[in-house]
Amino acid sequence: MSIDARIADDQPDSFAFTRENEAEAKRIIAKYPKGRQASAVMPLLDLAQRQHDNWIPMKAIEMIAAKLDMAEIRVLEVATFYTMFNLKPVGTYFLQACTTTPCWLRGSDNMMRCIKDRYGISSGETSECGRFTLLEVECLGACVNAPILQVNDDFYEDLDYASTGALLDSLEAGSPLPVGSVTGRSGSEADGGATTLQELKPAE
Amino acid sequence: MPKLTVNGIEVEVEDGATVLHACEEAGVEIPRFCYHDRLSIAGNCRMCLVDMERAPKPIASCAMPAGEGMVIRTDTDRVTKAREGVMEFLLINHPLDCPICDQGGECDLQDQAMGYGFDSSRYEENKRAVEDKHMGPLISTTMTRCIHCTRCVRFATEVAGVPELGAIGRGESMEITTYLEKTLASELSANVIDLCPVGALTSKPYAFTARPWELNKTESVDVMDAVGSNIRVDSRGAQVLRVLPRLNEDINEEWISDKTRYAIDGLRRQRLDRPYVRGRDGKLAPVSWDDALGIVAARLKKAKPAAIAAITGDQCDAESMFALKRLFDKLGSGNIDCRQDGATIGGARAGYLFNSTIAGIDEADALLIIGSNPRIEAAVLNARIRRNWLATRLPVGVVGPQMDLTYDTETLGDDPAILADILSGKAKFAAKLKRAKKPMIIVGMGALARPDGAAILGKAHEIADTYGVVAGGWNGFNVLHTAAARVAGLDLGLTPGRGQMDVAGMYKAAEAGKLDIVWLQAADEIDADRLKDAFVIYQGHHGDRGAHIADVILPGAAYTEKDGIYLNTEGRVQYAGRATFPPGEAREDWTIIRALAGRMGINLGFDSLDELRTELSEIVPHFADQDEIKSARWAKFGGRGKISSTPVAAALDGFYMTCAVSRASETMGQCLMALQADLAQADQAQDAAE
């Protein structure tokens, strides 16, 4: 996708952190040695994104650049490098579908097809209802439970066509399924339940 | 100093050198795109891969520090194959549009593809396409050709000091752009065109004009500022088509300013290409050389020596100034001045040279700038100050208006009284000067081109004495000129003696009706209105301020149209070559004066340029030492008088249009407009924010 298409045309005229976020930003910046405030650019972008409906307006980029004494283009470079930063509005549910090799081998195509069938959206698009935005992303780092769909901050794992549908149903209904594997397995234990270390009891 | 072997040749390199340096030391050429000697190391093009013993795979030689005992091979099959692989990847998304690309014929990618490219492509998918970006009136972009070496980004950030370029996105969607596609706000911006190894960034004014092999290349010297940047003038037929930098480590390294590069379209406009004489109707009418010289000769013969005067311009070559001075000597007049801005300099050479030399900036550890804005007066020199600041956080104090020099400065105020405070140690910056081992002072024309300039120069001399600016082989006292001709003019003694008229005196005499004739040799930075009552002879190349008040116009040659000697602000003697001939009936300047002298029956003592130069170097011997600087002995200079409280102002009111050539240049006009538009936009944004 070209860069222009990734940045919203309609931009707010201003952006400022809320009082709490301003304090939080101060705390984050203080973590880094003097003269190295630029290191705080990613947490601050994240903070701005969380405050602003899950997307970062250009005014926020300029504000963060001024705060960290960086050139605006440097902040924009970071914000465009990571797919996790949105530079234009996204739906209430921001779906990040992993299609890297392990997920793809385990059927991420089916997961993607389900989303496409329901909302007619491909990567980078938002559904007509405005509630779902899909983005194809690189490895989410949970290959053991592939395929993965990240919904806002949460991972849903072991998805196939049907379970993706069930997940989307639950999101539409406003009562999302429990986070984690949709097959019910705990963490990343084997498919048919634990096979080793069964004598160990979880600590009370 | 590590020793290593490259293809069986043992070489020893400096500490901190890279494997690539070692290979060059061994005489092995390494292909590269992203690596550049004067920029930080990026290591992202992967073209410089070499084999290192015991390394599992080829290494990027530009980013690998040379280590003791390394065994490097650049001639193995694996290296060739690796480079061919890199080249194939680079070409996957590079369009095959060399026939319509301005870089064709001088393109690194094209050249290296000859060595490492395949004859056909294995890639059958669609190539990516990238939207072109707006980078102002100088840089034309075709971003699809970009190979993401990031040289331009590093140049803007590191050398130019305007971090406005960046690489946004990643992987296949990476794009080089400025923030919100603003014009690159740098006086050095067009150097990214030279740096770009492909045709992504090319020259907008030169677009589709010529191929490199059609051009005549002439080595020359720039006269747009007093730095004396080494340039190559590329011409075809009678036209200068472009100017490129020539490498000179001591002056401009390999950069030139945008004005140096792009004011040349001004050489084609507003030219004086035949003699003119103002008729009885008050209008200039073309005449023959014979008539023009006849009128001038008759006038000069009639006039009293005390009532004739001459002002030489900022871009005159030493030869024409010398010829004019010789003519005036023979006429018995000493009313000749090369300081059209009224700068109160002259006398001891140490008082008007950049004594530390430009390369000396690298050694300075504290800098006091008095009345100069090096960013616009000497952009390339400013980049050197910035480099020192980047490396050592050089403390820089500025006496003058608030300005952004691309590095941190301490503005000490524009009241000249601060100089006394620095001298007495009362000003805070004095402590930094005191601590410094090699302190430097740069005095600019903003402080000297004013009535009390001599007193300010004197004060600066005192500061230099007090703070050890001149000590133990180090002379950090520098005058930064804005005029390329100034040092040569002062060395030649184009200053009036006691009882003779300087420029201010000429104004007064002209207004009082006591000045019969004034000869302007390409002098346009003058208050023309004040001279117009005199009979004005204008010898020059452009129909600018001087020509407007002229009674006789003797058309001369611009700097690309004559062989000439120029002394830069350091006093370095440089010979510029002629690239094209002057237009129409215009002539090289010294020949005009020679012809006039012949007409008047005066023997100037030379009949050819060689004879003139011999004569010149007999009077001022160092003019014969090409590329040398005759250093000046520390001496007394400057005055003692009262310094007025007038604020120290800038010597130039802008960068782009400062001389007859650049004022005639459309490109410079566009730059100025783009700058003003960006400033207006920034103002608006500021207003909106408030």
Side-chain angles (χ1 to χ4, degrees), chain B residues 232-252:
Chain B
R232 193 185 90 191
V233 179
D234 284 3
S235 55
R236 188 176 56 188
Q239 275 197 344
V240 173
L241 294 183
R242 66 172 177 178
V243 165
L244 295 177
R246 248 185 324 131
L247 181 71
N248 189 327
E249 294 289 351
D250 293 329
I251 305 173
N252 55 315

Side-chain angles (χ1 to χ4, degrees), chain B residues 278-306:
Chain B
R278 199 173 291 278
R280 284 183 198 289
D281 58 355
K283 290 200 175 110
L284 285 166
V287 293
S288 67
W289 268 111
D290 209 38
D291 292 348
L293 290 178
I295 292 166
V296 174
R299 280 278 187 163
L300 281 175
K301 261 190 191 149
K302 242 181 9 205
K304 277 201 219 71

Side-chain angles (χ1 to χ4, degrees), chain B residues 642-659:
Chain B
K642 198 171 167 305
I643 297 176
S644 80
S645 60
T646 320
V648 176
L652 303 175
D653 52 5
F655 170 70
Y656 293 107
M657 290 185 154
T658 53
C659 61

Side-chain angles (χ1 to χ4, degrees), chain B residues 594-672:
Chain B
R594 171 67 189 78
L596 177 70
R599 184 80 178 231
M600 296 175 74
I602 295 172
N603 179 11
L604 291 180
F606 48 80
D607 296 320
S608 68
L609 189 64
D610 280 344
E611 283 176 26
L612 188 157
R613 284 183 174 172
T614 311
E615 194 81 5
L616 178 60
S617 53
E618 262 165 34
I619 291 167
V620 195
H622 61 261
F623 274 68
D625 303 330
Q626 191 173 353
D627 297 328
E628 299 285 321
I629 301 174
K630 183 173 178 277
S631 56
R633 250 204 4 249
W634 189 239
K636 236 179 88 175
F637 54 76
R640 292 209 154 267
K642 198 171 167 305
I643 297 176
S644 80
S645 60
T646 320
V648 176
L652 303 175
D653 52 5
F655 170 70
Y656 293 107
M657 290 185 154
T658 53
C659 61
V661 179
S662 52
R663 276 193 292 270
S665 159
E666 271 181 17
T667 313
M668 290 295 105
Q670 285 164 2
C671 287
L672 192 61

Side-chain angles (χ1 to χ4, degrees), chain A residues 1-4 6 58 61-62 71-74 76-77 80-83 138, chain B residues 131 153 157 163-170 173 175 177-182:
Chain A
M1 205 185 339
S2 92
I3 294 300
D4 274 355
R6 277 185 57 190
M58 296 302 263
I61 287 183
E62 285 157 26
E72 290 163 354
I73 186 80
R74 294 283 99 80
L76 185 65
E77 281 179 334
T80 54
F81 185 87
Y82 295 99
T83 53
E138 300 302 328
Chain B
E131 267 176 64
V153 176
T157 310
E164 289 171 9
L165 272 176
I168 60 175
R170 68 159 157 188
S173 49
E175 294 181 16
T177 184
T178 53
Y179 188 79
L180 303 178
E181 305 213 5
K182 270 197 295 214

Side-chain angles (χ1 to χ4, degrees), chain B residues 94-160:
Chain B
H94 190 80
L96 291 172
D97 61 352
C98 302
I100 55 155
C101 174
D102 253 341
Q103 192 85 351
E106 48 187 2
C107 173
D108 288 357
L109 188 63
Q110 207 175 29
D111 295 347
Q112 290 175 36
M114 293 303 288
Y116 298 99
F118 292 127
D119 58 350
S120 60
S121 175
R122 293 189 284 172
Y123 185 73
E124 288 173 4
E125 286 75 14
N126 287 329
K127 286 181 183 247
R128 90 186 189 126
V130 182
E131 267 176 64
D132 292 343
K133 303 291 185 291
H134 169 79
M135 288 193 196
L138 300 178
I139 304 166
S140 163
T141 67
T142 311
M143 297 318 286
T144 302
R145 296 180 188 141
C146 177
I147 60 168
H148 304 135
C149 68
T150 68
R151 275 186 188 179
C152 52
V153 176
R154 283 174 284 148
F155 175 82
T157 310
E158 294 160 16
V159 180

